Amino acid sequence: RVMEFLANDYEGNVYVEHEYYSEPSGDRPSGQTAGEFGESTAAFMLERGLGMNLQVVADVNMWSATGRDVGSTKTPAAIVQECWNTEFKKYDIPPPILIPVSKRASEEYRYRVACNEAVREYLRYEFNKDLQPEDEGFLTRKPKLYFLPRCRNLVEQLPSLRGDPADPMDIEDSHAAHSYDAFKMPFMQLFATPMPKREKTAAEKWDEQTKEPAPKPAPVATGDYRIDW
């Protein structure tokens, strides 16, 4: 039903840039079939210039046969991937790759708690309250998670999430948090991935090549023996 598209920068900030959301209808309360989802998401990504070699993280239940696609014994993941391969091949573009989220059933609770804590940490910000009155409100710690306004469902859903009364570390299971669920899987993928190193600019490379080498220290001798070895 939902796809959230995330990117990160060299400083570790994460940006939610695009959102695909399929509204359920009265006769289709569970949303689209895997085939319909594959075709519509392929069109969405191609229209916005997304998807080339993109890793799409999905829940492990997409690799279980559900029978929702009549006449097919393939898993939803296989059907969606075939749709993407077919549609992107028409434009000679490498298709997105569907991968399962890296969690085991025995670790599902710990995974959910880790997601919630990581999101809270990235949303946290602080003001310096000790400044002069004219400087009050200056951010001393900026959040590291940002949302584009077009990701409307996720932006609206985040403030409405309810904590579990029985467990303050978790979110209430009865709450339909489809956008949050779709967001947190790629978010954790970025959160757990080491940041790529920023490439040096031409000016920085030139400075390195033309910089005078540091002089070597003179050897220190005591009697007939050098002690710098």
Side-chain angles (χ1 to χ4, degrees):
R1 182 179 297 180
V2 190
M3 288 180 71
E4 304 287 345
F5 296 82
L6 280 62
N8 59 348
D9 63 18
Y10 293 109
E11 296 180 353
N13 299 306
V14 175
Y15 305 87
V16 187
E17 297 188 335
H18 299 272
E19 177 183 74
Y20 170 88
Y21 191 87
S22 172
E23 294 281 358
S25 59
D27 58 334
R28 302 288 292 278
S30 299
Q32 302 168 313
T33 65
E36 292 167 341
F37 180 83
E39 292 174 358
S40 57
T41 51
F44 177 88
M45 288 185 283
L46 286 166
E47 179 186 349
R48 300 199 178 195
L50 303 168
M52 185 170 65
N53 293 323
L54 190 71
Q55 283 193 342
V56 179
V57 192
D59 205 329
V60 291
N61 59 15
M62 284 195 68
W63 278 261
S64 302
T66 62
R68 289 198 60 216
D69 284 80
V70 179
S72 175
T73 58
K74 298 176 182 177
T75 65
I79 295 170
V80 170
Q81 188 65 67
E82 284 184 3
C83 289
W84 290 351
N85 293 346
T86 301
E87 295 303 314
F88 277 78
K89 186 178 181 181
K90 295 176 183 177
Y91 302 93
D92 198 25
I93 299 175
I97 305 298
L98 197 61
I99 60 173
V101 62
S102 55
K103 67 175 180 180
R104 293 193 292 270
S106 60
E107 297 178 347
E108 186 172 349
Y109 170 77
R110 290 172 55 196
Y111 177 81
R112 293 201 312 268
V113 170
C115 290
N116 299 336
E117 286 299 297
V119 172
R120 275 199 280 265
E121 176 66 17
Y122 267 56
L123 286 172
R124 187 164 66 90
Y125 59 90
E126 295 173 0
F127 289 106
N128 189 341
K129 300 178 182 178
D130 301 324
L131 295 175
Q132 297 299 319
E134 62 271 15
D135 294 327
E136 285 184 357
F138 181 75
L139 276 174
T140 56
R141 174 193 168 95
K142 294 181 179 180
K144 300 181 68 177
L145 180 57
Y146 300 90
F147 305 84
L148 271 67
R150 61 188 171 209
C151 303
R152 177 177 56 86
N153 291 282
L154 179 59
V155 170
E156 291 178 356
Q157 190 174 92
L158 275 174
S160 70
L161 296 177
R162 297 190 296 267
D164 188 343
D167 186 352
M169 302 295 289
D170 204 359
I171 290 174
E172 194 174 26
D173 281 340
S174 60
H175 193 73
H178 300 299
S179 295
Y180 180 65
D181 288 339
F183 149 79
K184 70 185 182 183
M185 289 184 283
F187 172 74
M188 290 303 286
Q189 198 84 354
L190 293 177
F191 181 78
T193 303
M195 295 306 304
K197 293 182 179 179
R198 181 180 68 86
E199 290 195 12
K200 295 177 182 177
T201 64
E204 289 171 336
K205 292 177 181 178
W206 175 256
D207 288 342
E208 284 186 357
Q209 294 173 9
T210 57
K211 186 169 64 174
E212 291 288 337
K216 293 183 179 179
V220 181
T222 300
D224 295 332
Y225 300 95
R226 288 178 58 176
I227 62 170
D228 62 329
W229 291 354

